[in-house]
């Protein structure tokens, strides 16, 4: 019960590694190998929506199955993004960082190695 309560407390605070049962900074945690980053994108810039957010797997050998939630202006959106990303993948597009004049962000909820 205590562990569940702690997990529920960390999820909305932006500590997805702890909420998913991992430990922050653990070398063997698949969450530590997922990187959300910004990249220039002409379409996003042209629409005045900032840069595009991307996701990549930095593990040298293993694919990672993940779940992300999307937040728009600090409000969680209903959809959950589920997919698998291979090592060395050039990155998967998540979306523009601005939408409807609000910041759009993504958080990792769960990640596990598939190989």
């Amino acid at each position: 019960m205590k562990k569940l309560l702690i997990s529920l407390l960390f999820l909305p605070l932006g500590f997805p590694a702890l909420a998913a049962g991992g430990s922050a900074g653990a070398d063997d945690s698949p969450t530590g190998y997922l990187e959300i980053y910004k990249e220039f994108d002409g379409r996003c810039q042209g629409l005045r929506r900032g840069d595009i957010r991307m996701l990549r797997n930095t593990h040298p050998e293993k694919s990672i199955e993940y779940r992300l939630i999307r937040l728009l202006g600090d409000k969680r959106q209903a959809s959950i993004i589920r997919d698998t990303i291979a090592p060395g993948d050039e990155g998967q597009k998540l979306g523009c960082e601005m939408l409807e004049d609000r910041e759009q962000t993504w958080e990792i909820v769960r990640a596990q190695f598939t190989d």
Side-chain angles (χ1 to χ4, degrees), residues 22-90:
S23 58
D27 292 339
D28 59 346
S29 170
T31 303
Y33 291 101
L34 291 175
E35 179 184 6
I36 297 175
Y37 62 99
K38 290 195 273 186
E39 197 169 271
F40 175 80
D41 181 75
R43 182 171 173 255
C44 287
Q45 289 288 326
L47 296 171
R48 296 189 179 136
R49 294 184 179 162
D51 294 320
I52 193 163
R53 298 282 177 141
M54 305 279 292
L55 175 73
R56 75 174 139 221
N57 175 359
T58 61
H59 195 280
E61 300 169 352
K62 296 182 179 181
S63 293
I64 300 174
E65 183 179 320
Y66 63 87
R67 288 185 187 180
L68 302 175
I69 58 170
R70 183 173 65 95
L71 296 115
L72 184 58
D74 294 329
K75 285 193 171 189
R76 182 180 171 170
Q77 303 302 298
S79 63
I80 293 178
I81 302 164
R82 291 180 61 171
D83 205 351
T84 302
I85 189 166
D89 191 346
E90 63 185 46

Side-chain angles (χ1 to χ4, degrees), residues 80-101:
I80 293 178
I81 302 164
R82 291 180 61 171
D83 205 351
T84 302
I85 189 166
D89 191 346
E90 63 185 46
Q92 294 180 356
K93 293 181 180 182
L94 298 175
C96 298
E97 65 182 341
M98 297 296 290
L99 186 63
E100 300 171 1
D101 294 327

